[in-house]
Amino acid sequence: MTSAIPPTTAVVLPGTGSDEVFVRGVFSGPLRALGVRLLAPPPPAGDRLADGYLAVLDRLSAEHGPLLVGGISFGAHLSAEWAVRNPGRCTGLLASLPAWNGPAGRAPASLAARLSADLVAENGVDGALAKSSDGVPDWLSAELGRAWRRHGDGLAASLRTAASRPAPSLEDLKGLDVPVGIGTCVDDPIHPTEVARAWADALPRAEVGESTLTALGADRESLGRATVLAWLRARARGS
């Protein structure tokens, strides 16, 4: 399957409060196996998170030509938003753990981001980490500890920006005629599999790949593999 894929650059964005280190852990191996170059830009600071990332995608597409774009959670929303606006500059979409479509409303991921922002604003980053570690798997606690500290003083504004920004609507997604791989963890209540399925049903050329949070904790690439394999299936279906 790799020989049929032309030289491609993928730009993949992290989720809310996450960072490019996690993106590389999830996607580097699966994309390298296909000969696809991964670019994982660091998060723009504070309330520049969304507009900053969209500007990064504009710049990188000007430098590298049409891109395979993608992201995890809020990063999936932003990459899909950019792809909908720039269909001629996008060769495909890797959407891991989409959290909602259209306005966020009371989507679990939006509520969680708002609560986290309040916790950070009231207690500082380290205080918020201490209060939010109970019941959290060790791997996730370690990821949050690194990424949240890297966001620093801009973390609360970044979280609120993500929590309030609409994702592409299902109507928007219907017009995105590129191969799309959607990755979902079936045991993840914050990123419901029902949302992944709704995205796939709306998109003209999309497949869903399933994994679990348990697998992600043991092997970050499990989510990347599920997403990339779904993209390959979508690509084959449209060829």
Side-chain angles (χ1 to χ4, degrees):
M1 299 185 78
T2 60
S3 62
I5 298 173
T8 299
T9 297
V11 182
V12 183
L13 312 180
T16 310
S18 186
D19 63 6
E20 76 281 7
V21 177
F22 186 68
V23 166
R24 288 196 293 266
V26 171
F27 278 101
S28 286
L31 290 174
R32 189 186 310 114
L34 301 180
V36 175
R37 178 189 183 196
L38 171 63
L39 300 179
D47 60 9
R48 283 287 300 157
L49 179 70
D51 292 341
Y53 260 143
L54 294 174
V56 167
L57 290 172
D58 284 340
R59 175 176 59 80
L60 291 176
S61 69
E63 292 175 4
H64 300 280
L67 301 171
L68 171 61
V69 297
I72 301 168
S73 188
F74 185 62
H77 297 188
L78 287 179
S79 60
E81 179 181 334
W82 185 86
V84 166
R85 293 180 184 177
N86 299 276
R89 302 160 77 185
C90 175
T91 63
L93 176 64
L94 303 169
S96 294
L97 308 181
W100 62 82
N101 49 267
R106 296 189 61 79
S110 176
L111 294 176
R114 293 175 194 274
L115 289 172
S116 294
D118 291 343
L119 201 60
V120 170
E122 293 167 6
N123 301 277
V125 173
D126 286 332
L129 286 166
K131 287 178 177 291
S132 60
S133 60
D134 288 346
V136 174
D138 289 345
W139 72 268
L140 181 55
S141 180
E143 290 287 348
L144 291 176
R146 182 200 66 251
W148 280 22
R149 289 186 178 97
R150 291 187 68 208
H151 280 269
D153 293 341
L155 178 60
S158 174
L159 291 165
R160 290 197 173 103
T161 295
S164 62
R165 190 178 186 91
S169 69
L170 297 181
E171 193 64 31
D172 290 334
L173 295 176
K174 288 179 182 178
L176 183 57
D177 191 14
V178 298
V180 180
I182 302 174
T184 183
C185 290
V186 298
D187 56 349
D188 183 354
I190 300 297
H191 305 90
T193 294
E194 290 82 359
V195 174
R197 296 285 178 193
W199 278 43
D201 288 344
L203 287 154
R205 298 166 60 192
E207 296 285 342
V208 175
E210 295 184 353
S211 187
T212 66
L213 290 177
T214 301
L216 181 60
D219 175 13
R220 304 294 180 272
E221 290 185 0
S222 60
L223 178 60
R225 286 193 299 272
T227 307
V228 170
L229 288 171
W231 174 69
L232 289 174
R233 292 197 302 271
R235 194 171 177 275
R237 193 178 79 183
S239 60

